[in-house]
């Protein structure tokens, strides 16, 4: 479908008519000599006197070309556009931040992969996180890694592939060997504040209790709740462990409940996958649909039409001149042929 970006400019097509009616006709002036015996010269030469300024008369083709040029100019300025079919674009409306524990206890090989081989908790967590992220194509994902201290590994992005690469590059010992998920929640809150999205989700995965956070996890959860951040906590490993591998399940449950989230426990890879499936059902993809129709300018077609019209008229004038030049010698030859009268033939 063709539309005009500025259809009101078509009113200028009638502008030459107003100029023609309101302003006098342009006349071309010619040089002349003033003499006292002008009438006598005119009678002797047999020429009729003419006006000193004459009106220029254009040919029909010249008038047509002028009209086509003006219409083409006005149409081009009105900017005709080809409007395509509607195109829908989905834009993310939720931010999901993942906080992944890199403490020393994540090296425990108590998970089993698809081939039946024992793998550590971090490898199993990265595998499940990759599968979960691949289903969140319309969410902006971020990644925080924490141990002795938290740091931002991946800022919010809609590029899931890049986010997965940054996740797969993580190794144990990057951030120390302690567990400070209280500070990780605080860092997530600060990052969320920098963006304007109202739908905010933090998924916290840890296998131990908080051992060194400057901000207590419960206090961090209260601040997160005030900023409309929902936290889902996932406890990885055996909850009955003691010592350095002890897990603080009550704290994780309270952090989740304060923010309106849920706590999950995963003793193996299957339970970990089920936890992310449950979160996927609770936090289904949220996106905004933007619809637009692509537009392609066609103004150059108007100029192209005017160029073609000029070319055709030039060709017509060229052929007309060639035809007149070829015809003129034939006429002269006929006029120069001596005629013989009947009387001359009889006399001969």
């Amino acid at each position: 479908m063709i539309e005009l970006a500025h259809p009101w400019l078509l009113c200028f097509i009638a502008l030459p008519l107003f100029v023609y009616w309101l302003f006098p006709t342009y006349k071309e002036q010619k040089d002349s000599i003033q003499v006292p015996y002008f009438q006598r010269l005119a009678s002797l030469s047999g020429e009729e006197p003419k006006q000193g300024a004459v009106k220029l008369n254009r040919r029909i083709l010249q008038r047509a070309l002028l009209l086509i040029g003006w219409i083409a100019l006005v149409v081009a300025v009105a900017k005709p556009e080809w409007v395509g079919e509607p195109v829908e674009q989905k834009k993310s409306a939720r931010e999901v931040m993942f906080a992944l524990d890199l403490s020393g206890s994540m090296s425990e090989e108590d998970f089993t992969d698809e081939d039946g081989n024992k793998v550590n908790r971090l490898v199993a967590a990265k595998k499940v996180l990759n599968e979960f992220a691949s289903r969140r194509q319309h969410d902006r994902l971020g990644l925080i890694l924490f141990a002795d201290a938290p740091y931002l590994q991946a800022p919010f992005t809609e590029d899931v592939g890049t986010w997965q690469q940054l996740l797969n590059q993580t190794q144990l010992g990057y951030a120390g060997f302690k567990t400070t998920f209280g500070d990780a929640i605080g860092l997530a809150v600060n990052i969320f504040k920098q963006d304007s999205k109202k739908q905010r989700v933090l998924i916290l995965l840890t296998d131990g209790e908080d051992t060194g956070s400057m901000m207590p996890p419960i206090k961090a959860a209260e601040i997160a709740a005030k900023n409309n951040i929902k936290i889902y906590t996932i406890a990885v490993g055996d909850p009955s462990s003691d010592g350095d591998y002890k897990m603080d399940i009550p704290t994780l449950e309270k952090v989740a409940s304060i923010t309106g989230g849920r706590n999950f426990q995963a003793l193996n890879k299957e339970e970990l996958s089920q936890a992310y499936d449950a979160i996927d059902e609770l936090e289904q993809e949220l996106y905004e649909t933007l619809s637009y129709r692509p537009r392609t300018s066609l103004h150059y077609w108007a100029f192209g039409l005017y160029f073609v019209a000029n070319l055709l008229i030039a060709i017509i004038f060229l052929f007309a001149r060639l035809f007149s030049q070829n015809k003129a010698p034939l006429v002269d030859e006929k006029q120069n042929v001596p005629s013989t009268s009947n009387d001359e033939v009889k006399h001969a």
Side-chain angles (χ1 to χ4, degrees), residues 160-179:
V160 177
T162 300
W163 184 92
Q164 290 174 325
Q165 290 180 3
L166 293 172
L167 170 66
N168 295 328
Q169 291 173 2
T170 59
Q171 300 292 333
L172 290 171
Y174 269 17
F177 297 95
K178 296 181 180 180
T179 302

Side-chain angles (χ1 to χ4, degrees), residues 2-3 18 20 25 30 35 43 51-52 57 72 79 83 86 92 95-96 104 108 129 142 253 270 273 316 340 347:
I2 298 179
E3 293 183 357
F18 290 100
Y20 182 79
T25 304
K30 294 184 177 181
V35 294
S43 61
Q51 294 182 354
N57 292 321
K79 196 178 180 181
V83 182
S92 63
E95 294 172 335
V96 180
E108 282 293 299
L129 271 175
E253 291 179 343
E270 288 72 21
S273 180
I316 291 173
T340 305
H347 180 73

Side-chain angles (χ1 to χ4, degrees), residues 67-344:
L67 179 61
I68 293 173
W70 176 252
I71 294 176
L73 177 62
V74 174
V75 172
V77 173
K79 196 178 180 181
E81 297 175 328
W82 175 262
V83 182
E85 296 297 325
V87 177
E88 290 187 356
Q89 185 178 15
K90 293 181 179 179
K91 184 180 179 182
S92 63
R94 176 187 282 126
E95 294 172 335
V96 180
M97 177 65 74
F98 294 85
L100 179 60
D101 190 353
L102 290 185
S103 61
S105 56
M106 291 291 287
S107 62
E108 282 293 299
E109 295 184 352
D110 50 3
F111 281 72
T112 305
D113 61 11
E114 292 81 357
D115 299 328
N117 300 320
K118 289 290 185 179
V119 296
N120 61 44
R121 297 172 180 176
L122 178 61
V123 172
K126 289 197 293 185
K127 174 67 175 177
V128 177
L129 271 175
N130 276 302
E131 296 174 354
F132 180 81
S134 62
R135 302 195 296 263
R136 316 296 296 189
Q137 295 294 328
H138 299 295
D139 285 337
R140 300 180 68 221
L141 306 181
L143 178 62
I144 291 175
L145 305 177
F146 65 92
D148 291 351
Y151 70 92
L152 182 64
Q153 172 74 350
F156 286 119
T157 177
E158 297 179 13
D159 189 347
V160 177
T162 300
W163 184 92
Q164 290 174 325
Q165 290 180 3
L166 293 172
L167 170 66
N168 295 328
Q169 291 173 2
T170 59
Q171 300 292 333
L172 290 171
Y174 269 17
F177 297 95
K178 296 181 180 180
T179 302
T180 56
F181 62 80
D183 290 344
I185 297 174
L187 176 59
V189 172
N190 290 332
I191 296 173
F192 276 119
K193 286 181 178 180
Q194 299 174 11
D195 292 275
S196 59
K197 294 288 188 294
K198 295 182 179 179
Q199 298 291 333
R200 302 169 174 178
V201 176
L202 172 62
I203 300 176
L204 175 68
L205 187 146
T206 182
D207 67 342
E209 66 175 343
D210 193 291
T211 57
S213 289
M214 299 179 61
M215 178 179 292
I218 303 301
K219 180 64 176 178
E222 292 174 351
I223 297 175
K226 292 180 180 179
N227 288 274
N228 299 319
I229 302 172
K230 187 183 295 186
I231 301 177
Y232 292 93
T233 56
I234 302 177
V236 181
D238 187 359
S240 61
S241 301
D242 294 326
D244 294 337
Y245 295 163
K246 180 181 178 181
M247 300 180 64
D248 190 359
I249 300 297
T251 299
L252 294 176
E253 291 179 343
K254 190 168 184 179
V255 166
S257 63
I258 289 174
T259 61
R262 283 181 56 183
N263 176 64
F264 300 90
Q265 296 184 29
L267 298 177
N268 50 53
K269 183 176 179 296
E270 288 72 21
E271 291 185 359
L272 180 60
S273 180
Q274 292 174 4
Y276 279 108
D277 289 341
I279 296 174
D280 198 22
E281 293 179 0
L282 293 171
E283 299 293 336
Q284 296 183 359
E285 286 185 297
L286 184 65
Y287 53 85
E288 300 173 349
T289 302
L290 303 177
S291 179
Y292 70 96
R293 304 186 70 174
R295 294 175 175 268
T296 304
S297 179
L298 302 176
H299 68 279
Y300 52 87
W301 282 99
F303 292 115
L305 178 62
Y306 180 58
F307 174 77
V308 171
N310 272 278
L311 183 61
L312 291 177
I313 292 177
I315 293 174
I316 291 173
F317 275 112
L318 178 62
F319 277 99
R321 178 168 294 183
L322 291 176
F323 179 76
S324 62
Q325 289 178 354
N326 293 333
K327 190 176 180 181
L330 296 177
V331 175
D332 294 340
E333 290 177 0
K334 292 180 180 180
Q335 291 177 353
N336 294 331
V337 172
S339 60
T340 305
S341 64
N342 293 331
D343 294 340
E344 292 177 342

